Amino acid sequence: MQTLRFRLDGRELDAREGETILEAARRHGIAIPHLCWRPDLGVAGNCRTCLVEVEGEGRLAAACHRRVEPGMVVRARGGRAARVRRGVLELLLAEAGGALLRRDSELERWAEAEGARRDRFRPDPWPAADLSHPAIAVERGACIRCTRCVRACRTVQGHDVLGMAGRGAASRIAFDLDDPMGASLCVGCGECVQACPTGALAPAGGAALRQAKALTDSVCPYCGVGCQVRIH
Ligand code: FES
């Protein structure tokens, strides 16, 4: 396999042919924020939290998508890219409404690491949660539309229950034909919960189970993947 040399934040590094800036940085233990990318889910390029500067180019590049080229000089720390990434994270915090279900979510961790302020933008209105599923709660207000749950449902589990509905600001994750999650074909495997970087999809726990009028079948009762509730 051919190896390329490039510079990232002043360090000369090697990259494998076809590797992206983000993949090469991670292999060398260098942290660049990322939310919509996960190694097993492919590139979506929609969150823009991984922006970096490539010397000689006016536009910022998405590190999850841009392949390393020989001699490339990349700046991730400081400068314009870091400022823009911080702003993106502040917008995502506002979009997620400042009331994330998981306080240790990936969005929270990256926001803290990048010095993003929670109070810079007014939070979006918080829509009602979908608690129709006995195992998984859907807090649409915390969703940043990264589509990781959609890709995890399809490519990891092969279930194809999750998709996107609507356009622009009205776009949202949808179950089957935009049904309540509890009325969809979701089997409660928890893969989407594991994939969600904000806590918009989270184990429902006892509250939703108490609300549920009937128990439901699941492929993985007590599977440990995400739901961690016993359902029948
Ligand atoms: Fe690169 Fe989302 S991680 S655009």
Side-chain angles (χ1 to χ4, degrees):
M1 183 182 296
Q2 201 183 336
T3 302
L4 316 173
R5 307 292 296 173
F6 78 113
R7 293 186 79 79
L8 174 58
D9 290 331
R11 279 177 64 184
E12 179 147 340
L13 304 173
D14 65 79
R16 296 170 184 153
E17 200 175 359
E19 219 170 23
T20 63
I21 296 169
L22 181 59
E23 287 168 334
R26 279 165 53 90
R27 199 164 47 72
H28 288 284
I30 297 169
I32 296 176
H34 53 277
L35 285 173
C36 67
W37 181 85
R38 202 176 79 170
D40 57 336
L41 298 179
V43 176
N46 60 31
C47 76
R48 316 315 277 176
T49 56
C50 66
L51 292 175
V52 294
E53 270 181 284
V54 178
E55 194 175 272
E57 296 182 3
R59 285 189 310 177
L60 298 175
C64 68
H65 183 258
R66 184 67 183 272
R67 296 208 170 141
V68 176
E69 292 161 27
M72 187 182 242
V73 178
V74 181
R75 186 177 185 195
R77 300 263 60 104
R80 188 160 68 101
R83 274 199 312 281
V84 172
R85 280 203 311 270
R86 192 158 48 245
V88 168
L89 286 161
E90 286 167 342
L91 285 166
L92 290 175
L93 282 173
E95 188 173 1
L100 307 180
L101 295 179
R102 282 191 214 149
R103 285 290 155 196
D104 63 342
S105 71
E106 286 175 50
L107 172 55
E108 297 268 357
R109 289 203 301 270
W110 283 123
E112 193 177 333
E114 295 278 300
R117 279 173 39 199
R118 183 177 284 280
D119 59 350
R120 182 151 171 228
F121 299 107
R122 194 169 41 186
D124 281 357
W126 191 256
D130 175 357
L131 298 177
S132 60
H133 195 282
I136 298 171
V138 188
E139 280 284 6
R140 288 189 196 279
C143 177
I144 58 169
R145 304 169 183 89
C146 67
T147 70
R148 264 172 47 170
C149 57
V150 175
R151 287 174 281 147
C153 185
R154 273 184 204 160
T155 61
V156 181
Q157 290 291 336
H159 285 159
D160 216 7
V161 172
L162 265 158
M164 296 299 292
R167 291 183 169 201
S171 68
R172 59 197 177 276
I173 54 168
F175 301 90
D176 290 343
L177 296 175
D178 215 3
D179 295 323
M181 191 183 198
S184 74
L185 294 174
C186 171
V187 293
C189 72
E191 197 66 51
C192 57
V193 173
Q194 293 297 303
C196 180
T198 67
L201 291 157
L209 273 178
R210 278 194 296 281
Q211 284 197 13
K213 296 285 183 272
L215 297 174
T216 187
D217 292 330
S218 168
V219 292
C220 55
Y222 249 36
C223 66
V225 171
C227 319
Q228 307 205 347
V229 290
R230 185 179 292 283
I231 51 180
H232 303 283

